[in-house]
Amino acid sequence: GAQMPRAKVWAVIDAPVERGWAIIDQCKDYKRTMVRVLESEELKREGKIVTCRTQIDMPWPIDDLEAITRATHTIEAGKRYQRAWTLVSGGYRRNDGSWTLTPWGDKPGRTLAAYVVLAEPKISVPTWILKKAARSTLPDLLTNLRLVSAGK
């Protein structure tokens, strides 16, 4: 029932799960740790529920979009770390998804990062523009997580 398909990407990161999680867990820092995030702030944290506001830099001719999301952070220490969010308000019809980080392979200190998102702006945008934006942004997002996790 969505204009856009759910996007899914995976990458292996040469850093421990905990290092990647330290980045994913802190939405207030997304403006410096994530691609295309112009502004970010943590509005509330109650136990494992984290409410965040972000402003995303959209490609021309689309105006930048703001979203307030509520995420559940689930940690199974040493096994699985997940941030799953849903839209509370903002410039989207839908904005939900997740980050899941798990140890990867036999070599210690490697992580499999999985990112899943369904983001549909409220404004009318041709589907081909949205798909093009996703195809160019998603690989950059994981490359950036690799670099930031490695301390670069």
Side-chain angles (χ1 to χ4, degrees), residues 25-32 39-42 52:
D25 180 58
Q26 297 297 314
C27 67
K28 70 181 186 293
D29 295 329
Y30 286 0
K31 63 185 166 245
R32 69 175 183 77
E39 295 178 22
S40 61
E41 71 178 300
E42 183 176 302
C52 297

Side-chain angles (χ1 to χ4, degrees), residues 138-151:
L138 294 176
D140 291 346
L141 182 66
L142 288 167
T143 298
N144 191 66
L145 181 61
R146 280 184 177 129
L147 294 172
V148 174
S149 294

Side-chain angles (χ1 to χ4, degrees), residues 35-106:
V35 296
R36 297 181 57 198
V37 176
L38 297 172
E39 295 178 22
S40 61
E41 71 178 300
E42 183 176 302
L43 301 175
K44 186 183 342 181
R45 184 178 289 250
E46 293 178 325
K48 64 181 189 170
I49 307 300
V50 182
T51 304
C52 297
R53 182 190 70 79
T54 55
Q55 183 177 1
I56 306 299
D57 180 25
M58 298 299 288
W60 182 87
I62 306 167
D63 290 335
D64 297 338
L65 293 172
E66 183 175 276
I68 295 176
T69 58
R70 182 175 296 116
T72 301
H73 291 198
T74 306
I75 299 172
E76 298 172 47
K79 295 181 182 179
R80 181 175 173 267
Y81 294 67
Q82 185 178 56
R83 178 181 198 277
W85 70 89
T86 58
L87 180 67
V88 174
S89 64
Y92 297 86
R93 285 186 198 95
R94 242 176 120 171
N95 183 341
D96 59 62
S98 66
W99 277 103
T100 304
L101 305 178
T102 54
W104 182 255
D106 297 332

